[in-house]
């Protein structure tokens, strides 16, 4: 085998380089297991279907990225969260991405139990925008 002829230090360095390359492929997500929290400040339940944000460190920082979330209803006055998910805005390794202008696409339920047309919540700027694995963003008021 070729690697058997290399000195131990060279083999160790080669293994580290291979492992480092595998850890952050070019199409990696911005961060993994991200949860977005919101507080429903409206008079009735809301149904959330998407989360939008801007990634200031993506190849296009002005682009709005939209993530589908498992639809969930959040009762009036309650704080609710999306399921953890991997975000897909990065087209290069995922270190040092800053997320801002976080919004929720949601609809309100009328008095007859029907869901109205979806609207985007106002934009929210996190105090710390740095995206990391297992990150929680929010809770942001949605009405």
């Amino acid at each position: 085998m070729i690697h058997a002829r290399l000195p131990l230090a060279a083999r160790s360095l080669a293994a580290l380089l291979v492992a480092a390359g595998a850890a952050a492929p070019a199409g990696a997500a911005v961060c993994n297991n991200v949860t977005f929290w919101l507080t429903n400040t409206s008079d009735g339940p809301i149904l959330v279907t998407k989360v939008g944000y801007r990634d200031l460190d993506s190849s296009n920082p002005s682009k709005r990225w939209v993530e589908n979330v498992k639809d969930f209803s959040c009762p009036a006055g309650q704080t609710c969260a999306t399921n953890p998910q991997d975000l897909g805005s990065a087209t290069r390794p995922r270190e040092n991405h800053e997320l801002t202008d976080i919004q929720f696409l949601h609809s309100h339920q009328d008095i007859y139990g029907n869901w109205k047309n979806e609207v985007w919540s106002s934009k929210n700027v996190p105090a710390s925008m740095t995206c990391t694995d297992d990150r929680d963003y929010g809770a942001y008021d949605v009405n």
Side-chain angles (χ1 to χ4, degrees):
M1 297 176 70
I2 295 175
H3 74 275
R5 296 182 189 160
L6 293 173
L8 180 59
R11 282 183 283 168
S12 297
L13 178 59
L16 285 172
L17 290 173
V18 168
V30 172
C31 51
N32 298 309
N33 298 316
V34 176
T35 303
F36 294 95
W37 291 81
L38 63 96
T39 300
N40 179 358
T41 59
S42 71
D43 296 346
I46 59 173
L47 180 68
V48 179
T49 59
K50 298 182 188 305
V51 174
Y53 60 91
R54 284 189 316 120
D55 178 355
L56 298 179
D57 297 303
S58 72
S59 58
N60 183 357
S62 63
K63 180 180 177 179
R64 170 153 292 289
W65 296 91
V66 177
E67 304 287 340
N68 292 321
V69 297
K70 182 179 178 185
D71 296 0
F72 66 94
S73 180
C74 187
Q78 298 294 310
T79 298
C80 304
T82 65
N83 288 332
Q85 60 185 358
D86 299 344
L87 303 184
S89 64
T91 56
R92 56 180 198 230
R94 61 190 170 107
E95 293 84 10
N96 301 318
H97 286 270
E98 305 286 321
L99 303 188
T100 190
D101 296 345
I102 296 168
Q103 293 179 282
F104 299 91
L105 185 63
H106 66 285
S107 58
H108 294 267
Q109 193 173 35
D110 65 20
I111 60 172
Y112 303 107
N114 299 315
W115 293 102
K116 297 182 178 183
N117 291 337
E118 291 182 312
V119 295
W120 284 102
S121 67
S122 54
K123 295 177 182 176
N124 298 281
V125 178
S128 170
M129 293 186 273
T130 302
C131 190
T132 59
D133 286 352
D134 305 312
R135 171 72 197 265
D136 288 337
Y137 281 99
Y140 304 111
D141 290 348
V142 174
N143 59 17

